[in-house]
């Protein structure tokens, strides 16, 4: 089975770049993600007391071996019982006596190796210091990250000191080896956020890394090629000027709403970091809480796409056409979450700044994850709309109000967000039918005033919080208050419906509306360039607070740390444009045209199955990232009862993207995509072990293996020979 079987066929690289170069780039990207994603959360440090304080004093003595003090005197009484290690004293070549862990050594990729320059005493003292850090963590009081950094510096000084005492005739080589060990120390400590030392699950991460690289490589045309050209879009029925203008109007609102939400999160992040008094942001959240408009416009587009799919390619082509355009924004958000924390670390921004800027990515991921679910549910919800056009939104409205009044906890937050999204998507179906244009404008104005008055009254009474954009929490969705977002959404629906034919034509013809094509054509580039500016602003604030900006002046912008921090965001933006978005075909004038399915022939049952699996795993990856963030956690959060971590999230996201891609290029009837699907289910079962996770991934694996077995040529030939031949053809 080769790359042709996995993703398509063909040969040659993209843009003349050899396949080895692409493969190297993919492996490096996957390794970079794995390194960052496997970082644990930062330790919660507080002043040490009791035994943890004694461990801290012992480390301080270890760091100053020339003081003559004995760290063994300050070891906690239960140190050996907790760690399982028995410390001892050992004379060092520099004449000092060190407290050490005698069975330790200088760790390296090939095991404990003291080297010929006898770094051993320093390494064993360093091991005892790490044991003391682990001891304090086991006592529930992690010590300051500064202590681990100082222990690493002490070992580096000891190793270089040995090169001065006895270089064994090779001083330069001795110092080089000492520097390499120091780099390894720094990288490992950085990876663990300078927290308590811990063993890394390298095996499961390595398996996940291989699967991530396979999924990216199979989706990369330069490596996989294509077995056939991309399907030619079927000609779409002509639209009247009014229908085209309405599509342009709703398409503009969808892009503008997503941009408004990102802008609001950016402002809130700066406000939360810059001042404790941020009540001035409450009116801003009322203005920029545009999630209802996003789902209203999405429902309208879903209705058009599903109507076309019912007479064309079916459910599989509908899902591929509606969701394909999301791959760019999703990759941009995930890339942002990968690089922004690292950039802020280079700027020496405080921890609260990194957490605040994480919300710029968090809420859009929740939004897009729920959007996938709404798109997938459209065949059912649209059927309800056709049969029960008034009862369906009324029932959804009642459910939202009930959850808003009586619901509590994460389940209510998730369920309420889903139902609210379905409600506004249903109203989008009505807009596609032209229902709002049949409502008199005075009625719409009255409805908007009534809903806004209700929101003001509930807020003043304290029944709902004033801020209408959610703070990121462990189980956050896009709604901090169902009732508040429901009321502001009803106001927005009434305002959206006010423009009639002439007004819609005017909005669709204006430059801001026409510029949406650029944002839809290059979403990754646009978002990452915007984020680069935000990171620069964060760096300026951090530098101003630390007085380094005032002291350094304009030189601050040219410092290596500043340039590297900006490059970590700017380089992905450039690569996104050059490798993915520069060669994308221009979108049609109709912004919803590319959202409709492109039927290229009759769709088989495997198309619908693969598309459904792709949507399910894509949504799970998005919601998983929104719940877990980009770093690992000792206690993985759950989404709908399924524990997840960043590596599993990326595998889910890439698997969904890959399956939808295979449906689109018509290779889903081959065994390769199904075998890769089965392989992709292995790492999540290992890294996030749970009964539900084993059942979900195990069932997918068995299904994929069963389909793959039936698609191999010998099996197909056997099935063909076993079919009965009609009497008339014998």
């Amino acid at each position: 089975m080769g790359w042709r079987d996995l993703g398509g066929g063909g040969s040659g690289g993209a843009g003349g770049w050899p396949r080895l170069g692409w493969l190297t780039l993919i492996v490096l990207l996957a390794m970079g993600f794995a390194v960052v994603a496997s970082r644990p959360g930062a330790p919660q440090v507080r002043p040490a007391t009791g035994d943890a304080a004694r461990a801290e004093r012992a480390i301080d003595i270890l760091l100053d071996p020339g003081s003559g003090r004995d760290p063994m005197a300050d070891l906690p009484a239960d140190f050996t019982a907790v760690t399982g290690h028995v410390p001892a004293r050992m004379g060092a070549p520099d004449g000092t006596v060190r407290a050490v862990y005698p069975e330790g050594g200088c760790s390296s990729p090939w095991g404990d190796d003291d080297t010929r320059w006898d770094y051993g005493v320093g390494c064993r003292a360093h091991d005892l210091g790490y044991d003391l850090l682990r001891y304090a963590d086991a006592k529930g009081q992690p010590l300051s990250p500064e202590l681990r950094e100082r222990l690493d510096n002490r070992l580096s000084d000891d190793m270089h000191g040995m090169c001065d005492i006895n270089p064994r005739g090779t001083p330069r080589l001795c110092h080089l080896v000492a520097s390499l060990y120091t780099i390894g120390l720094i990288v490992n400590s950085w990876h663990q956020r300078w927290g308590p030392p811990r063993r890394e699950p390298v095996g499961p991460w390595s398996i996940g890394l291989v699967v991530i690289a396979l999924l990216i490589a199979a989706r990369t045309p330069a490596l996989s090629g294509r077995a056939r050209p991309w399907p030619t879009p079927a000609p779409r029925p002509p639209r009247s000027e009014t229908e085209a203008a309405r599509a342009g109007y709703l398409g503009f609102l969808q892009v503008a709403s997503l941009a408004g939400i990102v802008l609001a999160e950016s402002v809130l992040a700066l406000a939360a970091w810059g001042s404790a008094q941020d009540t001035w942001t409450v009116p801003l959240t009322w203005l920029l809480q545009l999630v209802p408009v996003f789902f209203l416009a999405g429902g309208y587009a879903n209705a058009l796409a599903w109507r076309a799919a019912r007479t064309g390619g079916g459910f599989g082509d509908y899902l591929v056409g509606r969701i394909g355009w999301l791959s760019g924004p999703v990759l941009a958000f995930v890339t942002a979450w990968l690089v922004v924390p690292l950039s802020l670390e280079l700027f020496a921004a405080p921890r609260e700044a990194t957490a605040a800027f994480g919300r710029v990515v968090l809420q859009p991921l929740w939004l897009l994850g729920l959007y996938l679910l709404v798109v997938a549910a459209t065949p059912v919800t649209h059927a309800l709309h056709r049969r029960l056009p008034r009862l369906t939104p009324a029932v959804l409205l009642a459910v939202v109000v009930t959850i808003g009044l009586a619901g509590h906890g994460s389940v209510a937050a998730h369920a309420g967000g889903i139902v609210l999204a379905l409600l506004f998507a249903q109203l989008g179906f009505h807009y596609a039918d032209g229902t709002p244009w049949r409502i008199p404008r005075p009625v719409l104005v009255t409805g908007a005033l009534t809903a806004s008055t209700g929101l003001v009254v509930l807020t003043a009474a304290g029944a709902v919080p004033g801020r209408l954009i959610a703070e990121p929490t462990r189980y956050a969705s896009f709604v901090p208050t169902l009732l508040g977002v429901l009321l502001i959404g009803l106001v927005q629906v009434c305002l959206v419906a006010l423009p009639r034919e002439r007004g819609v034509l005017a909005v669709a013809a204006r430059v801001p509306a026409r510029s949406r094509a650029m944002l839809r054509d290059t979403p990754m580039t646009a978002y990452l360039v915007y984020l680069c500016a935000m990171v620069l602003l964060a760096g300026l604030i951090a530098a101003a607070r630390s007085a380094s900006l005032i002291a350094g002046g304009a030189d601050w912008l040219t410092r290596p740390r500043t340039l590297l921090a900006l490059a970590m965001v700017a380089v992905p933006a450039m690569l996104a444009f050059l490798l993915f978005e520069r060669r994308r075909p221009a979108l049609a004038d109709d912004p919803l045209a590319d959202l409709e399915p492109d039927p290229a022939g009759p769709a088989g049952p495997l198309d619908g199955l693969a598309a459904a699996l792709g949507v399910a795993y894509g949504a799970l990856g998005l919601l998983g990232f929104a719940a877990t963030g980009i770093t690992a956690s000792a206690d993985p959060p759950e989404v709908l009862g399924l524990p997840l971590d960043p590596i599993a999230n990326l595998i889910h996201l890439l698997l969904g993207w890959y399956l939808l891609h295979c449906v689109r290029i018509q290779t889903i009837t081959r065994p390769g995509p199904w075998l890769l699907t089965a392989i992709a289910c292995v790492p999540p079962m290992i890294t996030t072990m749970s009964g539900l996770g084993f059942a979900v991934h195990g069932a997918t694996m068995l299904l994929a293996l069963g389909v793959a077995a039936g698609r191999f040529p010998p099996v197909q030939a056997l099935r063909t020979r076993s079919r009965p031949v009609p009497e008339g053809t014998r």
Side-chain angles (χ1 to χ4, degrees), residues 432-589:
D433 294 340
T435 302
W437 285 10
R438 294 192 290 269
I439 301 176
R441 283 178 171 173
V443 175
L444 293 174
V445 173
T446 302
L449 291 175
T450 302
S452 58
T453 302
L455 180 58
V456 170
V457 171
L458 289 177
T459 304
V464 298
R467 181 172 292 163
L468 294 184
I469 294 181
E471 291 286 344
T473 65
R474 193 162 61 100
Y475 53 84
S477 65
F478 62 83
V479 283
T481 160
L482 278 177
L483 297 181
V485 177
L486 171 64
L487 290 173
I488 201 68
L490 293 178
V491 174
Q492 293 168 1
V493 169
C494 293
L495 296 179
V496 167
L498 279 177
R500 299 312 196 214
E501 182 175 357
R502 183 179 302 176
V504 167
L505 286 170
V507 173
R510 293 184 182 276
V511 174
R514 292 198 304 267
S515 65
R516 66 188 175 273
M518 180 188 69
L519 294 176
R520 293 182 67 90
D521 206 23
T522 57
M524 294 175 66
T525 306
Y527 179 72
L528 290 174
V529 168
Y530 166 77
L531 202 64
C532 189
M534 290 294 300
V535 168
L536 176 60
L537 179 59
L540 288 171
I541 295 175
R545 284 186 164 186
S546 63
S548 60
L549 181 62
I550 299 175
D555 293 339
W556 178 83
L557 284 173
T558 60
R559 291 178 182 176
R561 291 174 67 96
T562 302
L563 295 176
L564 180 58
L566 294 177
M568 294 189 70
V569 184
V571 170
M574 182 180 64
L575 292 177
F577 178 73
L578 294 177
L579 300 182
F580 295 98
E581 297 180 336
R582 180 167 62 94
R583 297 185 178 89
R584 284 184 60 177
L587 297 177
D589 291 336

Side-chain angles (χ1 to χ4, degrees), residues 208-263:
L209 172 64
V210 171
V211 171
I212 289 170
L214 280 175
L215 288 170
I216 298 177
R219 178 60 181 84
T220 303
L223 286 172
S224 66
R226 296 192 183 103
R228 63 193 76 180
W230 284 76
T232 302
R236 298 183 176 90
R239 291 179 181 171
S240 66
E241 185 180 16
T242 301
E243 291 173 333
R246 186 188 297 174
Y249 175 55
L250 268 295
F252 165 68
L253 290 178
Q254 188 175 41
V255 174
S257 61
L258 186 57
I261 293 165
V262 172
L263 176 62

Side-chain angles (χ1 to χ4, degrees), residues 401-424:
V401 173
T402 301
I403 296 177
L405 293 175
H408 301 285
S410 62
V411 175
H414 292 150
I418 293 173
V419 178
L420 193 65
L422 291 173
L423 171 62
F424 286 106

Side-chain angles (χ1 to χ4, degrees), residues 51 54-65 67-80 83 85-91 97-102 124-125 127-129 131-132 135:
D51 289 336
R54 296 192 65 184
E56 187 175 39
R57 289 195 299 271
I59 293 176
D60 284 332
I61 298 173
L62 275 175
L63 292 170
D64 186 14
S67 66
R69 293 180 296 167
D70 183 8
M72 301 279 283
D74 276 296
L75 287 179
D78 60 345
F79 173 80
T80 298
T83 64
H85 292 173
V86 180
R89 297 178 180 87
M90 184 175 292
V97 177
R98 307 285 187 91
V100 300
Y101 170 49
R124 292 182 176 91
D127 286 346
L128 179 60
D131 284 341
L132 288 164
Y135 171 85

Side-chain angles (χ1 to χ4, degrees), residues 336-361:
W337 215 337
L338 181 66
V339 299
V340 167
L342 302 182
S343 297
L344 293 177
E345 282 187 25
L346 289 172
F347 279 136
R351 185 183 303 173
E352 60 269 18
T354 304
F357 272 86
R359 64 179 297 143
V360 180
V361 182

Side-chain angles (χ1 to χ4, degrees), residues 183-420:
I183 292 173
L185 281 173
I186 294 174
V187 170
N188 185 52
S189 295
W190 168 86
H191 181 259
Q192 297 186 355
R193 296 184 185 273
W194 309 96
R198 63 189 69 190
R199 291 188 178 276
E200 309 279 22
V202 177
W205 289 346
S206 300
I207 297 173
L209 172 64
V210 171
V211 171
I212 289 170
L214 280 175
L215 288 170
I216 298 177
R219 178 60 181 84
T220 303
L223 286 172
S224 66
R226 296 192 183 103
R228 63 193 76 180
W230 284 76
T232 302
R236 298 183 176 90
R239 291 179 181 171
S240 66
E241 185 180 16
T242 301
E243 291 173 333
R246 186 188 297 174
Y249 175 55
L250 268 295
F252 165 68
L253 290 178
Q254 188 175 41
V255 174
S257 61
L258 186 57
I261 293 165
V262 172
L263 176 62
E265 295 295 348
S266 303
V267 174
L268 290 175
L270 290 172
W273 182 22
S275 173
Q277 302 296 326
D278 56 355
T279 54
W280 61 270
T281 61
V282 170
L284 181 73
T285 64
W286 288 35
L287 181 64
L288 295 180
Q289 173 52 282
L290 298 173
V291 167
V293 176
F294 180 84
F295 283 105
L296 175 74
Y300 172 83
N302 291 341
L304 297 184
W306 179 238
R307 289 172 185 173
R310 290 169 62 196
T311 59
F315 182 60
D317 281 335
Y318 158 77
L319 286 179
V320 171
R322 286 298 293 131
I323 294 172
W325 73 277
L326 283 177
S327 60
V330 167
L331 287 177
F333 288 134
V334 173
T335 302
W337 215 337
L338 181 66
V339 299
V340 167
L342 302 182
S343 297
L344 293 177
E345 282 187 25
L346 289 172
F347 279 136
R351 185 183 303 173
E352 60 269 18
T354 304
F357 272 86
R359 64 179 297 143
V360 180
V361 182
L362 176 67
Q363 301 296 9
L365 282 178
W366 278 110
L367 186 66
L368 294 178
L370 291 179
Y371 185 70
L372 287 182
L373 299 178
V374 171
V375 169
T378 294
V380 175
T381 55
H382 192 266
L384 291 173
H385 167 73
R386 287 187 291 112
R387 292 176 174 83
L388 304 168
R390 296 182 180 179
L391 181 60
T392 302
V395 171
L396 291 173
L397 178 63
V399 173
V400 169
V401 173
T402 301
I403 296 177
L405 293 175
H408 301 285
S410 62
V411 175
H414 292 150
I418 293 173
V419 178
L420 193 65

